[in-house]
Amino acid sequence: MHYQVFKMIRTYRAVLPIAGFILLFSCDNTKPSSPEAKLRFESITPKPVSATMSGETFTLTKDMKIVINGSDKELQNIASFLREKINTATGFDADVSEEVSGSGNISLSLDGANKTLESEGYELTVEEDGVKITANSPAGLLWGVQTLRQLLPVEIERSSSAPDVAWEIATGAVRDFPEYSWRGSMLDVSRHFFTVEDVKHHIDLISLYKMNILHLHLSDDQGWRIQIDSWPNLTEIGSRNAVGGGKGGFYTKQDYTEILNYAASRYITIIPEIDMPGHINAALVSYNELLPGPPIRREPAGPEENKPTPGVVHTGIEVGFSTLDIKKDVTFKFVNDVLRELAKMTPGPYLHIGGDEAAVTKKPDYIAFVNRFKEIVKANGKKMVGWEEIAQADVDSTIIVQYWSNPEHAKMAAEKGAKLIFSPAQKVYLDMQYDSTTKLGLHWAAYIEVDSSYMWDPATFVEGIDRDQILGVEAPLWSETLVTMDDVEYMLFPRLPGVAEVGWTSAENRDWQEYKSRLVNQSKRWEVMDINFYRSPKVPWGAGN
């Protein structure tokens, strides 16, 4: 009897603390993070320097505001970008204000960020009563906003309001900054032309993954795509065609300005490229006095033309057959005029002069061409960028060399003090086919699956090149086989986010096995955005993919 009483008392005493804990917990209004919100937090791409969850939830409500700490125009523009995203998808009427009290708001600030974040870094803090993003520059602040997009439910990407969505974000802290300053995408608008709206869409896609460079390949054998007032036939004649004999097109100066302004609103620098002294046939067609040798007039050939001839409309994909003539005075009048007008149109610091695959240009002439280009670009207040072959000329620390194929050219450029962009064709030429069954693209460099485009390190890719000589990475997309934006999206995704991560995230912080899980969660966002992407067998997409 005495034992039973003792047992009951002991049990009662043991239960009391537990009961008190349950009572205490039941009075707490804290809402733990949902599995979906946690997964979004774990799937931020590119992967941040650090991201730590605290286990609770912040929820957007119709009473929320976007709070900014000043009247700076760029700060207001970033807030407006976020406001439009939120209001469109939620149906709220959130406003932007400099002074708002209370909780439940999103705060954007260019004051108080840690200086170690440098120019493009940001800090994002999510607590139960609000979100705060701080940065040292507007660009960094926008990258923080892009991370916030990824923390929200995928319905934030809708173009109309989504009913019955719990707009929840897992609480925690993100501290982030990029590994490389140059994180680029190149779009070839010469082989096939893409409209202003197409280019804007491309800008939106790369901005989501914090890429900050758009290199526009504006001229080639098949088409000239930018208005040059002093040489009007470049667009009157040279823009008419595309690969396969399709419709061409070009950007007026007003079009180009519209693209530049849109890119600037996403803190993306436009790098315009005029490819010389080879890849120049569209200009030779437009002005036959530029042709090597005596001026002659040839009738344009149709798409059935098999052997490319300089000065004849070219609609195939062959390269290496055209060149400017270094002995003609008119050649450098042309080059001076084109680069002068392009420099005047372009607020960014760079002009890309091409320089690749000049197979029929004699080597001494090629070197002389590049040296002249360098002086002309400099005279117009810009910094010259060129494909790796320009390393054979007198390049120096003022020049940027874009490595794509030959490690010896890359090492030569580094030895001369030039900075490098890494665009290895066998890794990041995103027009390369995924495998032998891919209907779009080519495979002369490699078949490039999503894992291959991710698993490489610019700092160790070419032996003998120091990390501090590398500005970053750029993923070219050549358009010989790409006609529509659906085609473009299919070749970009799922590889583009991985290349963006190569540029943003340190090699030590990247892992393919971990990354492919994040890619699965990113794909849910692409589906809402109606992005046409390749369902690679390398990735466990799951049901519905």
Side-chain angles (χ1 to χ4, degrees), residues 1-10:
M1 181 68 180
H2 292 288
Y3 173 75
Q4 293 296 328
V5 171
F6 174 78
K7 185 177 180 182
M8 289 173 62
I9 292 171
R10 186 178 63 181

Side-chain angles (χ1 to χ4, degrees), residues 11-28:
T11 303
Y12 180 70
R13 285 177 175 172
V15 169
L16 267 176
I18 298 173
F21 175 79
I22 292 171
L23 181 62
L24 178 64
F25 188 80
S26 67
C27 293
D28 191 348

Side-chain angles (χ1 to χ4, degrees), residues 28-55:
D28 191 348
N29 292 322
T30 298
K31 182 178 180 181
S33 301
S34 67
E36 294 81 9
K38 289 180 180 178
L39 184 59
R40 293 194 296 271
F41 202 103
E42 293 167 349
S43 299
I44 299 169
T45 303
K47 188 177 182 180
V49 172
S50 66
T52 306
M53 283 186 285
S54 54

